[in-house]
Amino acid sequence: MTDAFATVVRLMWIDDLIEEEGQIQRSDIARAFRMSVQQASHDLRRYMQLNPRRIAYDPSPRCYVQVDGSKPLFTRGHRCAAADIVSAVAEHYPTQEQST
């Protein structure tokens, strides 16, 4: 994988959310990483390139859902590390909406 460090962290976090929640939306990524929905779409496309049988788009709830029997891309330890990074940043650097 030749993606930038920040991209890899986002991919790990995406992998973790899919594993834990069974689904993900572009807005989840945009909110967690304070980025545009367009960038979140790019990250989801990259994730699907790396693990094509992991998620599928479900138009009814407008989200990507975990495919039964699919396996995560990253180890549990790596996924948890990415989730910890996102939590730490949110706690120590709240957005304007969180601080008001």
Side-chain angles (χ1 to χ4, degrees):
M1 185 180 312
T2 60
D3 295 302
F5 175 80
T7 302
V8 174
V9 170
R10 292 192 305 267
L11 293 172
M12 288 177 187
W13 184 84
I14 290 167
D15 205 31
D16 186 60
L17 195 62
I18 293 165
E19 186 67 14
E20 296 300 318
E21 302 290 329
Q23 65 181 28
I24 192 168
Q25 292 180 307
R26 296 175 308 157
S27 61
D28 296 329
I29 303 163
R31 189 173 28 261
F33 291 95
R34 302 173 190 165
M35 58 197 284
S36 70
V37 174
Q38 292 81 8
Q39 181 62 48
S41 294
H42 176 74
D43 287 348
L44 275 172
R45 280 193 304 274
R46 180 65 178 139
Y47 182 82
M48 290 187 291
Q49 287 174 342
L50 295 170
N51 199 356
R53 294 182 182 93
R54 179 73 168 149
I55 57 176
Y57 187 71
D58 186 343
S60 177
R62 299 178 70 187
C63 67
Y64 293 85
V65 295
Q66 181 178 352
V67 174
D68 288 339
S70 65
K71 302 256 188 252
L73 183 60
F74 298 97
T75 68
R76 176 151 175 71
H78 291 129
R79 294 190 320 267
C80 288
D84 287 346
I85 290 168
V86 172
S87 294
V89 169
E91 181 179 332
H92 294 287
Y93 299 100
T95 62
Q96 287 185 354
E97 293 130 11
Q98 293 171 324
S99 60
T100 56

